[in-house]
Amino acid sequence: MMRTRPLKVALLGCGVVGSEVARIMTTHADDLAARIGAPVELAGVAVRRPDRVREGIDPSLITTDATALVKRGDIDVVIEVIGGIEPARALITTAFEHGASVVSANKALLAEDGATLYAAAEKHGRDLYFEAAVAGAIPLIRPLRESLAGDKVNRVVGIVNGTTNFILDKMDNSGAGYSEALDEATALGYAEADPTADVEGFDAAAKAAILAGIAFHTRVRLDDVYREGLTEVTSADMASARRMGCTVKLLAICERAADGRSVTARVHPAMIPLSHPLASVREAYNAVFVEAEAAGQLMFYGPGAGGAPTASAVLGDLVAVCRNKLADATGPGESAYTQLPVSPMGDVVTRYHISLDVADKPGVLAQVATVFAEHGVSIDTVRQQGRPDGGGEASLVVVTHRALDAALSGTVEALRRLDTVRGVASIMRVEGE
Ligand SMILES: NC(=O)C1=CN([C@@H]2O[C@H](COP(=O)(O)OP(=O)(O)OC[C@H]3O[C@@H](n4cnc5c(N)ncnc54)[C@H](O)[C@@H]3O)[C@@H](O)[C@H]2O)C=CC1
Ligand SMILES: N[C@@H](CC=O)C(=O)O
Ligand code: NA
């Protein structure tokens, strides 16, 4: 039976995501009420710029005092789509203290200090839901926290940042320049308020921390995640990838160690074969593979960024927490019981593509091969190419078999010390083979 008294929702932030949340709450009000079993009412919208015209939002709901809004006491659910660490963290914990459940899209905060948020939710018997925080519209958090709760996840790998995928796709397929592609991603509402978070890999690393924590039932923070962005990826790297039958993607990879005693989480550009399903993920789409012991391999794919797709995930969470509230129940909280440590990047085993500028003279190839062998890194292929401009130099592209990241770093350091190696033009990991 439908409850007539509405559940009250406070919206914090009315930017790209918040404005879409407000729009869908209004246009789908009847369906949401039917699915929840009670009407949901937008009871206040906290913004920073109150003078801005916000179509479809009653101006009397607008406030610049987010703290007063979450302290009102009559709010059932707070939706936090401001982003950043503070004041978002203080607003969320205050919301719990005043009896509200929280839906958030804030991966930066969850990866920085999820433990504080989970603890506050548990202390006050409220829900913390954040489907929108990882891979936008794609249902991924709920499948990991609920559907796969009876299985053992060993690996999560995928593309989790829409902006960087959009940039790489444009550079690779339409020849667009880096800045032009980033500007377009920003205009489309994919990029973070500070797009450095996207291009330097912080956003994907935050998502990797959240995914690894949930998948392996341990606590993983942003600082635990090895991170490289795509600012160092050159058009020469992309061309080299093409020659190998590969493309370049920014991947997030979370793995349980073979002995099960630790985990790793990393974000970096990688070459993947064009035949790999992740290679065909275009524009701002995301795709994530989850490998679980009993389920096998699952693939999640869809829009990973943008106002409406992200709002879809927020509203799904809103329905869930409202249903919980009416049932006087709460959904899953933090599950970190395994307390598995996060191993450093040096422990990761993968393949590498290394591009060297070397002296074009006899014996150089043998010298380089010896350095690889001395560090226990086995070479798969080598391609040497004289420079068209001559000058006694050549490019040497080495692709390795699987090797320890620490051994590869040692190899590169030793190569840099060789007189015949003029420079290390690029090092990129090769995944998905
Ligand atoms: N845009 C996207 O595709 C996605 C965004 N997210 C996350 O959603 C959150 C919001 O992102 P966007 O809407 O894209 O950002 P945005 O920058 O468009 O919107 C944030 C809004 O919050 C307002 N704001 C900042 N401080 C405030 C305060 N103290 N009180 C009231 N309002 C305040 C800003 O003026 C701005 O309008 C972030 O955590 C972001 O990481 C998550 C998934 C996808
Ligand atoms: N900036 C993010 C937005 C969604 O999380 C991205 O580009 O993926
Ligand atoms: Na999601």
Side-chain angles (χ1 to χ4, degrees), residues 131 134-138:
E131 183 59 69
V134 183
I138 307 173

Side-chain angles (χ1 to χ4, degrees), residues 31-243:
D31 287 325
L32 292 172
R35 291 168 198 176
I36 291 166
V40 270
E41 174 190 303
L42 200 52
V45 181
V47 302
R48 212 160 41 179
R49 287 182 289 272
D51 301 334
R52 195 180 262 186
V53 179
R54 296 169 204 277
E55 218 177 296
I57 299 179
D58 177 352
S60 70
L61 298 178
I62 302 285
T63 174
T64 51
D65 193 347
T67 306
L69 179 58
V70 299
K71 280 185 174 172
R72 258 172 48 171
D74 64 333
I75 301 295
D76 296 288
V77 183
V78 167
I79 297 177
E80 183 275 305
V81 278
I82 287 175
I85 307 303
E86 293 293 357
R89 174 170 45 199
L91 290 167
I92 291 175
T93 51
T94 307
F96 288 134
E97 282 161 21
H98 288 79
S101 282
V102 173
V103 174
S104 173
N106 194 335
K107 53 272 169 128
L109 176 57
L110 282 152
E112 172 76 20
D113 195 13
T116 296
L117 307 186
Y118 278 124
E122 192 181 344
K123 181 172 173 198
H124 299 285
R126 293 292 178 260
D127 275 327
L128 171 65
Y129 275 49
F130 47 89
E131 183 59 69
V134 183
I138 307 173
L140 187 58
I141 300 298
R142 193 153 322 146
L144 281 169
R145 288 217 287 189
E146 300 181 36
S147 320
L148 290 165
D151 207 334
K152 183 177 182 189
V153 175
N154 288 321
R155 195 162 189 260
V156 181
V157 53
I159 295 165
V160 294
N161 183 270
T163 302
T164 46
N165 200 61
F166 186 87
I167 294 171
L168 289 169
D169 182 36
K170 292 280 163 195
M171 286 171 73
D172 204 14
N173 292 297
S174 66
Y178 172 88
S179 309
E180 185 192 333
L182 174 56
D183 288 349
E184 201 181 334
T186 305
L188 289 166
Y190 302 148
E192 293 302 299
D194 175 2
T196 313
D198 297 294
V199 296
E200 295 288 0
F202 289 102
D203 179 79
K207 291 164 176 166
I210 296 169
L211 289 175
I214 295 175
F216 308 133
H217 300 269
T218 191
R219 207 170 263 177
V220 181
R221 299 187 58 227
L222 177 63
D223 287 349
D224 297 319
V225 181
Y226 174 83
R227 176 192 55 79
E228 277 175 36
L230 58 71
T231 45
E232 308 278 300
V233 177
T234 62
S235 47
D237 291 328
M238 311 236 338
S240 200
R242 281 273 160 196
R243 274 197 295 274

